[in-house]
Amino acid sequence: MPRTYLKKALKTAESDAAAVTGIVQTILDEIEAGGEEAAKAYAEKFDRYDGNIVVTRAEIEAAAASLPQKLKDDIRFAHDNIRRFAEAQKATLSETEIEIAPGFFAGQKIIPCQAAGCYVPGGRYSHVASAIMTVTTARVAGCQHIAVASPPRPETGVHPAILYTADLCGADSILAMGGVQGVASMAFGLFGQPKADILVGPGNQFVAEAKRILFGRVGIDMFAGPTDSLVIADASADPEIVAADLVGQAEHGYNSPVWLVTDSGALAEKVMALAPGLIDSLPEPNRASAEAAWRDYAEVIVCDTIEEVAATADDYAPEHLSVQAENLDWWLARLKCYGSLFLGEETTVAYGDKAAGTNHVLPTSGAARYTGGLSVHKFLKVVTWQRSSRDASKPVALATARISRLEGMEGHARTADIRLAKYFPGENFDLAAVE
Ligand SMILES: NC(=O)C1=CN([C@@H]2O[C@H](COP(=O)(O)OP(=O)(O)OC[C@H]3O[C@@H](n4cnc5c(N)ncnc54)[C@H](O)[C@@H]3O)[C@@H](O)[C@H]2O)C=CC1
Ligand SMILES: O=C(O)[C@@H](O)CS(=O)(=O)O
Ligand SMILES: [Zn+2]
């Protein structure tokens, strides 16, 4: 048998999907109808917060003053790496122009989205790094207005390090508003914000579903919900490091899957023996999250060949994919579905999560089959233009008229006819559909 499950998940990302959709749709509908008061009521209900919503400059400055310099230095280090990576990505996209035929030009232009709404999660942990990933990238892209929404803590509001970071990275405004109500506030333009053209950022299943439902009315980066991670390891891998990496990402939440895929049954057994002890040694609430995630969502799969290991990883299309195996170049060339790839034991998912430079806002729940993670490109619209001399437009007009008639689109055909008649008076053209 090519795949043997030493541990099989009891649940998947789909398990609660229908219930979540219903809950989120109701909240969105109520906020759309009830506006700011409805959003504030949800902030009270879910986050027990009734303070001011738009964070003031004085609050941001007080937050910055309250943080130790070493933490600020670390945040600046991470910001610098993420900014430089985003700038390098931006440089890979360029405006272009081609003379399709003599006198007929077509081009592409790159225009940043105007208003970006960045969600920075903060329910269980204070996701400072998510503020860096979203705001910095929107700023490098050139968005004109960048709003942030993040859950407040009762009494104290948004975590001071998130306020400091969002401001450092270039946020124009920060809302103390989490979950669906935070996303809705940015999408619907509440609390004095411009309506977001694009919503980005990670979050729990409610946040991810809110973005998914709003997509179309507003752009989104991708489905970036509960974190998932897959480790590929062969017999050369260190089982203690593999186990630590799996447990490290399982702490995200009770619904964060971690998967081990290996061609070594011996390694799989060792990792499975080590994981419970590592989970037990975590502080709360991390331990409880990791324990539930390991119990309900984790899988350990043994394959016969490395080709089958790679195919299995591609089927899971994980958000994070760590390879701790020989011949890393082979894996880099072979693997096709992942949000971000971590090659070798010398790097790890947490480096990308916090500080290495690549973005940590990544596709979850299999979305890596069709998209990569957040990049500067998600904020940039690649649009096209065309311009022509009268002479150069002639062959295009003839083809347009005939194709349009064949399609039955007489109105389209006549927009070409009228130009041919104006620019080339006295000439006869064969404008009938070619059947
Ligand atoms: N895919 C990615 O790139 C990343 C994903 N994440 C994920 O982000 C998530 C963060 O989750 P949280 O800590 O919960 O923070 P969060 O900020 O996403 O969610 C907190 C909010 O959830 C709302 N909420 C809580 N219970 C609710 C309920 N029963 N109904 C409706 N709304 C409810 C509250 O309004 C609260 O403000 C984790 O699942 C983590 O794995 C984090 C970073 C990156
Ligand atoms: O899903 C993710 O990318 C998270 O692992 C990022 S973080 O660890 O929450 O910063
Ligand atoms: Zn993480």
Side-chain angles (χ1 to χ4, degrees):
M1 201 161 58
R3 291 181 197 177
T4 306
Y5 286 82
L6 298 193
K7 179 172 180 355
K8 186 106 177 78
L10 306 171
K11 295 183 181 175
T12 71
E14 295 304 306
S15 298
D16 303 321
V20 170
T21 300
I23 292 167
V24 173
Q25 186 69 64
T26 302
I27 301 173
L28 286 174
D29 289 346
E30 287 186 14
I31 295 176
E32 186 154 31
E36 294 178 3
E37 290 313 309
K40 282 159 112 175
Y42 275 113
E44 266 199 85
K45 175 176 175 182
F46 289 126
D47 294 323
R48 288 174 291 126
Y49 181 77
D50 62 1
N52 73 308
I53 303 298
V54 183
V55 179
T56 63
R57 173 60 34 200
E59 286 171 318
I60 292 169
E61 279 164 17
S66 74
L67 299 177
Q69 190 55 44
K70 183 108 191 71
L71 172 60
K72 290 192 217 175
D73 292 345
D74 288 340
I75 291 169
R76 283 177 182 272
F77 169 83
H79 170 246
D80 193 50
N81 285 348
I82 280 97
R83 180 184 50 75
R84 287 187 297 120
F85 191 74
E87 284 169 354
Q89 285 187 311
K90 189 177 182 188
T92 65
L93 195 60
S94 55
E95 300 198 338
T96 189
E97 178 177 318
I98 168 178
E99 193 166 9
I100 294 254
F104 201 115
F105 297 87
Q108 86 172 11
K109 215 170 127 53
I110 296 159
I111 305 174
C113 293
Q114 296 291 292
C118 301
Y119 187 80
V120 176
R124 189 172 295 103
Y125 307 113
S126 304
H127 287 273
V128 169
S130 296
I132 306 178
M133 303 293 169
T134 54
V135 179
T136 306
T137 311
R139 187 49 73 206
V140 170
C143 298
Q144 283 209 333
H145 187 276
I146 303 172
V148 165
S150 191
R153 297 286 155 100
E155 315 293 332
T156 54
V158 178
H159 193 287
I162 291 180
L163 293 182
Y164 168 77
T165 305
D167 187 57
L168 170 78
C169 299
D172 294 298
S173 60
I174 305 171
L175 301 181
M177 187 65 80
V180 180
Q181 58 276 17
V183 170
S185 296
M186 296 189 289
F188 300 153
L190 305 183
F191 305 104
Q193 306 306 302
K195 284 185 184 177
D197 298 312
I198 183 163
L199 290 169
V200 303
N204 63 18
Q205 65 273 41
F206 304 107
V207 169
E209 182 61 7
K211 284 168 58 195
R212 194 190 66 78
I213 291 174
L214 288 165
F215 176 59
R217 294 175 65 171
V218 61
I220 65 167
D221 46 1
M222 78 213 82
F223 192 87
T227 304
D228 59 64
S229 304
L230 191 149
V231 177
I232 287 174
D234 66 10
S236 72
D238 179 338
E240 289 191 23
I241 290 194
V242 172
D245 285 359
L246 290 167
V247 170
Q249 291 297 318
E251 81 173 347
H252 272 286
Y254 71 91
N255 55 356
S256 267
V258 291
W259 304 295
L260 171 62
V261 188
T262 176
D263 61 349
S264 166
L267 177 101
E269 299 284 2
K270 283 183 197 155
V271 171
M272 285 179 64
L274 287 165
L278 294 176
I279 292 169
D280 274 347
S281 72
L282 286 170
E284 294 294 357
N286 316 47
R287 191 206 61 78
S289 295
E291 183 187 54
W294 182 258
R295 183 188 63 231
D296 295 339
Y297 287 84
E299 295 194 330
V300 177
I301 305 163
V302 181
C303 302
D304 289 346
T305 64
I306 58 167
E307 176 50 40
E308 184 60 23
V309 169
T312 304
D314 277 346
D315 284 349
Y316 279 70
E319 177 194 1
H320 306 111
L321 178 49
S322 165
V323 180
Q324 299 180 33
E326 290 178 333
N327 202 356
L328 296 176
D329 286 339
W330 184 84
W331 292 100
L332 178 59
R334 168 62 187 81
L335 293 163
K336 294 186 178 62
C337 298
Y338 51 82
S340 198
L341 182 59
F342 300 82
L343 290 162
E345 182 196 288
E346 291 72 19
T347 188
T348 184
V349 173
Y351 293 177
D353 281 349
K354 311 301 174 193
T358 54
N359 208 293
H360 87 194
V361 183
L362 298 166
T364 62
S365 310
R369 285 176 294 121
Y370 57 82
T371 184
L374 183 60
S375 75
V376 78
H377 297 174
K378 296 272 182 184
F379 296 98
L380 297 172
K381 297 180 289 180
V382 180
V383 297
T384 56
W385 58 265
Q386 57 185 267
R387 175 185 290 171
S388 178
S389 69
R390 291 184 171 186
D391 281 345
S393 73
K394 189 198 275 187
V396 180
L398 291 169
T400 298
R402 291 194 287 254
I403 291 171
S404 297
R405 286 209 165 86
L406 177 82
E407 291 176 339
M409 302 187 79
E410 185 58 28
H412 284 62
R414 289 181 190 181
T415 65
D417 296 353
I418 193 173
R419 286 175 169 78
L420 289 166
K422 178 175 177 183
Y423 303 155
F424 309 101
E427 280 192 49
N428 287 321
F429 298 108
D430 180 5
L431 298 171
V434 182
E435 304 269 359

